[in-house]
Amino acid sequence: MPMAVKKPKLNILITAGGTREYIDPVRFLSNASSGRMGYALARAAVRAGHKVTLIAAPTALRPPVKARILSAVTSEDMFKAVRSEFGRCDCLIMAAAVSDYAPVKKEKAKIKKGKGKLTLQLKPTQDILAWAGSHKKKGQILVGFALEDRCLKKNAERKLKDKNLDLIVANTPAAIAAKSSAVWIKGKDSPWQTHKNLSKIQTAARIIKKITNP
Ligand code: CTP
């Protein structure tokens, strides 16, 4: 009788949702991320028997059962949460749409309407994935996402290399609110795989499988 091969159980850290960068106490810059991809990944990882910590930016989604949930509102909160969890994880999947810029200053009081133009000054945020890519001391597996509206493979491959990732999942803006969409997946040592019409649940299951069977 063949011996059953036990699949490794990993500590998987997943981020989800769009961060909010506050301008004043009631206004913020954000993006159209629903958080569905990250939540689907958390569910797929739990289903595959892994231990899951989900760092979630605000979403309207029901938290997956059996995942440990940490909440993060801003990109700074998300960076702090990833930084404190990263040393304990075997794999980080950055599915969150982290804002690339944040206001230079958050006003203490609500900005009053004026007659003229209002100019906001923005500063780049910490690239969490790039930080993780340069701190993979324990050999963590790093998975990133790339949203590309042109030169998809070329741009995504650049992110894979520059951020020292193990796997990149690329899609187009058409995927943001869609139930199913085209997805391109590439491992650092494997060729592109194109999936023309996958739901977020199917995409999540493939990513989780690829982590243990690259
Ligand atoms: N990411 C991150 N920290 C940021 C911004 C993005 O960790 N401050 C992560 C996202 O979670 C995602 C990947 O990086 O996994 C996306 O890479 P990025 O270079 O930010 O992609 P885009 O925002 O699409 O970049 P660009 O706008 O330059 O194409």
Side-chain angles (χ1 to χ4, degrees):
M1 203 170 74
M3 289 257 289
V5 182
K6 247 190 142 192
K7 289 257 171 68
K9 299 300 171 209
L10 306 176
N11 278 321
I12 304 189
L13 183 61
I14 299 170
T15 66
T19 61
R20 294 179 176 179
E21 312 304 326
Y22 278 85
I23 298 164
D24 71 15
V26 293
R27 301 182 179 102
F28 54 81
L29 300 173
S30 193
N31 56 67
S33 169
S34 66
R36 279 203 192 92
M37 189 69 243
Y39 276 58
L41 281 161
R43 289 205 170 87
V46 166
R47 209 170 299 128
H50 301 296
K51 236 178 114 186
V52 177
T53 299
L54 176 65
I55 303 176
T59 74
L61 303 173
R62 218 162 8 100
V65 281
K66 292 197 183 150
R68 178 173 156 244
I69 317 282
L70 305 175
S71 60
V73 178
T74 65
S75 58
E76 200 182 334
D77 296 339
M78 191 163 273
F79 179 48
K80 282 185 187 154
V82 170
R83 205 173 43 187
S84 79
E85 295 292 322
F86 189 62
R88 277 187 291 257
C89 79
D90 303 302
C91 170
L92 166 66
I93 310 178
M94 282 295 304
V98 186
S99 178
D100 288 329
Y101 291 91
V104 167
K105 189 168 167 231
K106 177 185 167 187
E107 296 297 335
K108 284 203 175 67
K110 188 177 164 229
I111 299 169
K112 280 285 175 204
K113 183 166 55 190
K115 287 226 159 25
K117 289 179 182 166
L118 176 70
T119 305
L120 278 179
Q121 252 205 321
L122 305 177
K123 59 177 183 207
T125 59
Q126 168 71 51
D127 190 316
I128 303 170
L129 199 49
W131 174 87
S134 59
H135 286 79
K136 292 202 288 185
K137 298 199 180 73
K138 234 184 69 189
Q140 287 95 333
I141 301 162
L142 216 57
V143 181
F145 280 75
L147 188 69
E148 308 291 346
D149 58 2
R150 68 210 107 120
C151 308
L152 179 139
K153 287 185 180 171
K154 188 170 150 248
N155 286 333
E157 271 181 61
R158 192 162 36 95
K159 285 174 192 170
L160 180 76
K161 272 210 192 87
D162 289 353
K163 301 193 192 194
N164 192 20
L165 309 181
D166 298 284
L167 197 74
I168 189 102
V169 182
N171 52 24
T172 69
I176 291 178
K179 284 240 162 70
S180 59
S181 63
V183 179
W184 291 261
I185 302 178
K186 186 185 176 344
K188 71 172 191 294
D189 300 316
S190 59
W192 281 104
Q193 286 178 349
T194 305
H195 304 282
K196 282 288 175 209
N197 195 23
L198 286 189
S199 69
K200 290 194 169 143
I201 292 165
Q202 290 169 319
T203 303
R206 274 176 207 235
I207 295 168
I208 296 301
K209 207 161 162 200
K210 265 198 157 295
I211 287 165
T212 43
N213 308 293

